[in-house]
Amino acid sequence: MELSAEYLREKLQRDLEAEHVEVEDTTPNRCASSFRVLVVSAKFEGKPLLQRHRLVNTCLAEELLHIHAFEQKTLTPEQWAREQQK
């Protein structure tokens, strides 16, 4: 399976109805495929961090089988707006 940052970004945006997604391919620094993602979605409203991460993991279940390292940050639109003001 050929994984790219663009492919993961589009899938997260579509499946989680995310208003903002950033995907960084961190593979060059490592020996196997690795990615860092930031996902902003209203679907995270009222959910604790673990449930948010489970939503992302479920969305990318098939892809994660081929990813060695995966770092994620999940924010609600309100949290994202506050972070942008910093």
Side-chain angles (χ1 to χ4, degrees):
M1 171 178 279
E2 183 62 34
L3 293 172
S4 69
E6 184 64 22
Y7 171 83
L8 295 177
R9 188 188 67 73
E10 287 175 4
K11 185 163 187 183
L12 288 164
Q13 205 158 27
R14 180 183 63 245
D15 294 0
L16 295 178
E17 299 167 22
E19 66 177 53
H20 183 79
V21 179
E22 294 175 16
V23 180
E24 179 185 354
D25 185 346
T26 56
T27 303
N29 307 331
R30 309 216 169 125
C31 59
S33 65
S34 59
F35 294 91
R36 178 181 300 129
V37 301
L38 164 67
V39 183
V40 180
S41 174
K43 287 190 171 193
F44 299 147
E45 298 281 352
K47 290 184 174 49
L49 186 61
L50 186 58
Q51 283 184 339
R52 294 176 184 195
H53 284 197
R54 283 183 178 147
L55 282 172
V56 171
N57 292 348
T58 299
C59 173
L60 298 178
E62 194 169 310
E63 292 78 7
L64 287 173
L65 296 173
H66 306 279
I67 296 174
H68 176 73
F70 187 74
E71 184 182 329
Q72 60 179 294
K73 184 172 185 176
T74 52
L75 300 172
T76 64
E78 183 181 316
Q79 290 170 320
W80 174 243
R82 278 198 307 258
E83 201 162 287
Q84 292 301 99
Q85 292 173 355
K86 290 181 183 177

